[in-house]
Amino acid sequence: MSELFAPLTLRSLTVPNRVWMAPMCQYSAAPDGPDQGAPNDWHFAHLAARAVGGTGLALVEATGVTPEGRISPYDLGLWNSRQQEAFGRVTRFLDEHGTVPAIQLAHAGRKAATERTWVDRGAPIGSGTYGWQPQAPSALAFDDASLTPQEMTAEDIQLVVRRFAESAERALAAGFRAVEVHGAHGYLINEFLSPFTNRRTDAYGGSFEGRTRFALEVVDAVRAVWPEELPVLFRISATDWLTENPEDPREGWTADDTVRFAKELHAHGVDLLDTSTGGNAPKARITTGPNYQVPFAERVKQETDIAVGAVGEITGARQAEEIIASGRADAVLLGRELLRRPYWANEAAAELGAEPTWPDPYHRAV
Ligand SMILES: Cc1cc2nc3c(=O)[nH]c(=O)nc-3n(C[C@H](O)[C@H](O)[C@H](O)COP(=O)(O)O)c2cc1C
């Protein structure tokens, strides 16, 4: 009996298996015009292929809650009706093929306004047709090559909280059945959480309570519009990879902070913590390799009651099965391996003796 292919129930939503597609920016939406930020044929093919491949839940890439919150001008967005309608085509297909449609809502903070990663190595675009000045908790640039953001006022903060809720309402109307708040990778919420990026002296900075206030306000606002019976997920960078490294004098968000915060997120209605790491500090020494982030998920799972997702260099069927069967995480999220092998879930099901879910027109392939 494969545990990887056992269903997972979060609130009233049952996800058919624990192989989930990690959110992955495609930088392929129109940067302007009426279809700005709307999913197009590329996004449809990208997500539909993983549904055909048997993925239990697919997370749409970081989707901006405002135009200024996009990482690049080519990001998806969900602040208008046209975008909402276009997402409907994606969610319908995923639903029809047994994949739970989920979306990651995001604000990029000081890391907004950059080129696509494959153009000028993702250089900042501060001005010109597509550029803008990013906002952040404090006026600190990521590194010498990055734009210096404007420090957000209390009104700016409240506006972004509202925008997260409005996008969540649109996500629900578009047919999504799980929503993920992007609190990781050095984007806006992560910037508020970490003492490395949050130097504020008002109620949104300073102590752990101050630095976590914005994230909890976003979660509360999203929870208030998201149905009781459907889950809210939160992606966290479990560590900035600073404080835990004795050779790095910089202070950042730590794995201990993550465990403490996981309990609060759970109390505020978050159902699953999607445990990633990094992205908030330049030149942080990151330990990578197969399962490199699983220990963070495992710790949260052991020390709290919240469900957890594990992500990062999970590529093999037996590797994924072990993570779930040993109780280290409740779901695995696959990123790059699913780009290489969109039908990974069905292939893994066959390898583990579970039932692949090939669509009827493919029955001769089985
Ligand atoms: C092309 C690409 C785009 C990504 N975009 C996002 C994103 O939109 N949101 C996010 O939280 N992580 C993003 N990530 C990180 C992945 O979700 C995942 O956490 C990471 O790739 C590690 O998993 P893997 O080793 O299976 O690829 C991206 C990764 C890749 C490769």
Side-chain angles (χ1 to χ4, degrees), residues 159-181:
L159 189 65
V160 174
V161 170
R162 283 205 298 281
R163 294 290 180 252
F164 265 96
E166 287 163 12
S167 294
E169 278 183 305
R170 289 190 181 280
L172 183 69
F176 288 103
R177 288 190 288 133
V179 66
E180 177 168 277
V181 174

Side-chain angles (χ1 to χ4, degrees), residues 22-25 61-62 104 182 185 235 276 311-313 334-336:
M24 284 180 282
C25 286
E61 67 190 69
Q104 184 183 57
H182 196 346
H185 303 166
R235 178 166 269 207
S276 189
V311 63
E313 296 199 31
L334 273 65
R336 288 161 292 179

Side-chain angles (χ1 to χ4, degrees), residues 253-317:
W253 181 264
T254 65
D256 288 343
D257 291 330
T258 293
V259 172
R260 179 174 169 192
F261 191 46
K263 294 175 188 164
E264 294 191 20
L265 288 170
H266 198 205
H268 283 255
V270 171
D271 302 288
L272 181 137
L273 193 69
D274 174 4
T275 317
S276 189
T277 62
N280 199 36
K283 299 195 174 90
R285 202 188 62 207
I286 301 173
T287 311
T288 56
N291 287 0
Y292 71 103
Q293 294 172 145
V294 175
F296 299 101
E298 186 176 5
R299 228 195 111 183
V300 174
K301 179 116 184 92
Q302 275 169 1
E303 297 181 35
T304 76
D305 295 327
I306 197 168
V308 297
V311 63
E313 296 199 31
I314 300 169
T315 54

